[in-house]
């Protein structure tokens, strides 16, 4: 077993659901605290005396999202840590909405566009951190267990075509749009339109460590360091394994999502913020990784990202075969057959400069996966396309589904585009040389009485 699940003991803690004003006040108070217990051996407490923002309280480390603890749109491995923890510690952090909390309910698409135009080069994401993990060195792996996620009660989806030319189909949907959502956290749904409800399934769009290169880099493209993976399976209860490239790893999170489809094709998810992102972080020695991996209670996930979707799939194949060989003790031929039989390959996103795909492998013995549908089923509307180029097949299949739900459900084009970004499930069929099969599924369950 490469990285078995470890049952983590969670000590008592207070709910960390403070508002931004209270968090800012607490952070200011902590920065000026001089009576921290000097006799403690905990590095976290010593770090507070050195100017780190946060509070070690009852077995966990609290890190609020304030202007002092976040960066807007960039990573830099020279950034001063905002928290310092030891391997095995639990840290509870807040995150902000995009553009340093400026994209809020009621903000117009014109204002959102201006924020992007006026700040070129950086991503729209606001990331909290970095968090220095004691003992983490290049070549190690950071094991990050997501214990709990509490989002805010609102979020926004937007597309930015026009001069920014963003999203998967900016020429076909040339008008920008912003849609604001109330998240009914008690019922676990949000209303897209009357009669259309989407399940709220929050996850961190960005969860990553510092890249090895020095300098300032946009938060938009993901990579072996994690970052903007936008993999909707990284939910509460999962564990993410990320290779370490610099001392202390330097962990960030942001781009907090409440709802997202596989593909994220109009550019964004339902972009929200987290009142609580509760993580247990551990340093793993002697088991290096090339790319991040994900563990859920039921599946292992391997990942592949590249500017060329065909290359992303090839990376995914290599990573999956390597993992299965380690996990099952198989040779490469046997591992490839195992992947073909049991691997469920899906599209994470196609709008972050790099295209992302992932493969889900069940932990327990299960029947072979049936072929993906090419026509509607009882539960899904389905479109299918095949092409030598995976991105072309994705485009054809996704656009066919957008046009179909627009016509059959009476949606305006921009709403059909937005709904596809939030509810589409893009999957990759059997891998064949020169023939990439992409199946786009839309759950019928989103239409309610």
């Amino acid at each position: 077993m490469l990285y078995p699940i470890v049952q983590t003991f969670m000590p008592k803690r207070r709910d960390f659901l403070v508002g931004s004003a209270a968090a800012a006040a607490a952070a200011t108070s902590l920065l000026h605290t001089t009576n921290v217990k000097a006799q403690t051996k905990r590095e976290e407490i010593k770090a507070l005396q050195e100017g780190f923002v946060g509070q070690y309280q009852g077995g966990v480390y609290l890190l609020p999202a304030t202007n002092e603890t976040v960066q807007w749109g960039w990573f830099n491995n020279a950034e001063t840590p905002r928290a310092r923890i030891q391997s095995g510690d639990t840290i509870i952090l807040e995150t902000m909405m995009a553009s340093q909390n400026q994209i809020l309910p009621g903000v117009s698409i014109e204002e959102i566009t201006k924020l992007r135009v006026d700040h070129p080069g950086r991503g729209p994401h606001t990331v909290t951190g970095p968090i220095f993990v004691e003992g983490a060195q290049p070549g190690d792996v950071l094991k990050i267990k997501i214990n709990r996620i509490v989002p805010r009660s609102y979020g926004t989806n937007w597309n930015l075509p026009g001069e920014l030319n963003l999203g998967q189909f900016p020429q076909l949907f040339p008008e920008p749009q912003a849609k604001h959502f109330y998240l009914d956290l008690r019922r676990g749904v949000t209303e897209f339109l009357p009669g259309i409800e989407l399940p709220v399934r929050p996850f961190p769009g960005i969860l990553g460590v510092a890249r090895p290169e020095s300098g300032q880099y946009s938060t938009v493209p993901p990579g072996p360091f994690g970052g903007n993976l936008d993999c909707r399976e990284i939910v509460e209860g999962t564990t993410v394994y990320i290779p370490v490239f610099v001392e202390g790893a330097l962990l960030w999170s942001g781009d907090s999502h409440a709802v997202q489809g596989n593909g994220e094709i109009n550019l964004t998810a339902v972009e929200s913020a987290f009142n609580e992102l509760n993580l247990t972080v551990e340093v793993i020695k002697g088991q290096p990784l090339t790319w991040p991996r994900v563990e859920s209670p039921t599946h292992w996930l391997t990942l592949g990202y590249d500017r060329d979707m065909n290359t992303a799939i090839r990376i995914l194949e290599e990573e999956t075969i390597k993992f299965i060989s380690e996990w099952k003790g198989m040779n490469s031929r046997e591992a490839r057959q195992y992947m073909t039989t049991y691997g469920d390959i899906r599209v994470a996103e196609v709008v972050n400069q790099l295209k992302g795909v992932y493969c889900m492998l069940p932990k327990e013995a299960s029947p072979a996966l049936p072929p993906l549908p090419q026509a509607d089923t009882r539960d899904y509307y389905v479109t299918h396309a095949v092409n030598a180029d995976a991105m072309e097949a994705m485009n054809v299949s996704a656009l066919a589904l957008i046009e179909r739900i627009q016509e059959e459900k009476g949606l305006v084009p921009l709403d059909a585009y937005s709904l596809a970004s939030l509810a589409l499930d893009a999957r990759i069929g059997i891998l064949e040389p020169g023939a990439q099969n992409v199946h786009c599924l839309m759950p019928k369950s989103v239409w309610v009485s």
Side-chain angles (χ1 to χ4, degrees):
M1 199 69 174
L2 183 62
Y3 296 118
I5 291 181
V6 175
Q7 194 75 355
T8 304
F9 171 72
M10 287 296 297
K12 290 183 178 180
R13 54 167 175 76
R14 296 174 298 176
D15 284 340
F16 191 53
L17 305 178
V18 295
S20 58
T28 302
S29 173
L30 288 165
L31 278 171
H32 293 89
T33 296
T34 58
N35 62 348
V36 179
K37 295 180 181 179
Q39 68 272 24
T40 180
K41 295 181 179 180
R42 294 292 296 191
E43 290 298 325
E44 296 90 336
I45 304 301
K46 294 178 183 177
L48 293 179
Q49 295 172 309
E50 297 168 4
F52 293 92
V53 178
Q55 180 180 1
Y56 185 73
Q57 177 72 37
V60 296
Y61 195 97
L62 309 180
L63 182 64
T66 72
N67 288 338
E68 290 75 33
T69 65
V70 303
Q71 298 92 56
W72 171 9
W74 47 263
F75 297 120
N76 191 325
N77 65 15
E79 186 68 32
T80 301
R82 303 310 199 269
R84 197 177 189 103
I85 66 174
Q86 292 183 340
S87 176
D89 280 348
T90 294
I91 183 162
I92 298 174
L93 53 140
E94 290 180 314
T95 63
M96 283 187 182
M97 297 288 286
S99 300
Q100 208 152 338
N101 239 21
Q102 295 184 79
I103 299 182
L104 296 168
V107 171
S108 70
I109 188 60
E110 289 77 19
E111 293 174 273
I112 294 173
T113 302
K114 189 174 188 301
L115 284 168
R116 198 68 180 267
V117 171
D118 289 352
H119 300 89
R122 66 170 63 179
H125 321 105
T126 310
V127 290
T128 304
I131 300 160
F132 188 99
V133 184
E134 295 284 353
Q137 296 291 338
D140 294 340
V141 169
L142 216 57
K143 176 183 177 182
I144 307 159
K145 173 70 181 297
I146 302 176
N147 302 307
R148 176 175 157 92
I149 299 175
V150 180
R152 293 186 190 176
S153 59
Y154 53 82
T156 304
N157 170 258
W158 65 90
N159 73 307
L160 297 174
E163 63 179 293
L164 291 170
N165 200 41
L166 298 175
Q168 194 57 23
F169 302 115
Q171 284 78 36
L172 298 177
F173 300 91
E175 296 180 22
Q177 180 192 53
K179 291 179 71 69
H180 300 285
F181 295 87
Y182 164 66
L183 309 178
D184 186 338
L185 300 179
R186 181 183 62 83
R187 294 181 57 225
V189 298
T190 187
E191 183 183 79
F192 181 84
L193 287 171
I196 302 176
E197 288 186 343
L198 304 175
V200 174
R201 196 164 178 257
F203 71 95
I206 288 178
L207 188 65
V209 300
R211 58 198 299 161
E213 301 87 0
S214 61
Q216 199 151 291
Y217 291 88
S218 167
T219 55
V220 171
F225 52 89
N228 193 21
L229 296 171
D230 281 345
C231 176
R232 71 175 186 176
E233 303 300 328
I234 303 177
V235 294
E236 183 177 296
T238 61
T239 300
V240 185
Y241 300 88
I242 305 177
V244 173
F245 298 96
V246 302
E247 182 183 5
L250 300 183
L251 175 66
W252 279 276
S253 188
D255 187 32
S256 306
H257 291 177
V259 181
Q260 184 198 294
N262 273 328
E264 200 187 19
I265 57 176
N266 88 330
L267 181 63
T268 57
V270 172
E271 309 287 334
S272 185
F274 293 158
N275 289 327
E276 178 181 344
L277 178 60
N278 184 316
L279 309 173
T280 299
V281 184
E282 183 181 345
V283 177
I284 305 294
K285 300 283 187 180
Q287 299 186 56
L289 288 179
T290 307
W291 282 86
R293 290 178 186 166
V294 180
E295 180 185 9
S296 80
T298 58
H299 288 77
W300 285 101
L301 279 70
T302 50
L303 311 177
Y305 288 76
D306 194 83
R307 289 183 178 275
D308 185 304
M309 193 170 178
N310 303 289
T311 304
I313 293 171
R314 179 182 58 75
I315 291 171
L316 177 69
E317 283 188 273
E318 293 172 353
E319 286 295 302
T320 306
I321 290 169
K322 180 168 63 175
F323 170 74
I324 294 171
S325 296
E326 297 168 354
W327 179 32
K328 296 290 185 180
M330 296 179 174
N331 61 38
S332 60
R333 181 186 59 79
E334 293 168 334
R336 184 179 295 276
Q337 183 58 49
Y338 190 94
M339 176 183 177
T340 300
T341 305
Y342 300 106
D344 184 356
I345 304 175
R346 306 191 181 192
V347 180
E349 54 79 19
V350 293
V351 292
N352 292 331
Q353 299 176 21
L354 276 66
K355 282 69 173 169
V357 291
Y358 63 95
C359 180
M360 300 177 64
L361 298 162
K363 288 181 174 180
E364 302 296 333
S366 61
L369 283 177
L372 287 171
Q374 297 186 23
D376 289 0
T377 69
R378 182 183 65 179
D379 299 321
Y380 294 96
Y381 299 107
V382 179
T383 56
H384 167 253
V386 58
N387 194 283
D389 181 73
M391 195 67 252
E392 183 61 26
M394 171 73 187
N395 288 342
V396 171
S397 183
L399 189 58
L401 192 53
I402 292 170
E403 292 173 343
R404 182 175 172 195
I405 61 174
Q406 175 189 332
E407 295 170 5
E408 294 186 14
K409 299 296 184 179
L411 300 179
V412 300
L414 282 178
D415 281 346
Y417 191 27
S418 175
L419 181 60
S421 197
L422 303 180
L424 184 71
D425 186 359
R427 307 189 188 187
I428 296 174
I430 188 168
L431 299 176
E432 301 174 305
Q436 301 286 3
N437 289 267
V438 177
H439 306 249
C440 286
L441 287 64
M442 174 73 73
K444 295 178 179 179
S445 58
V446 304
W447 281 272
V448 298
S449 300

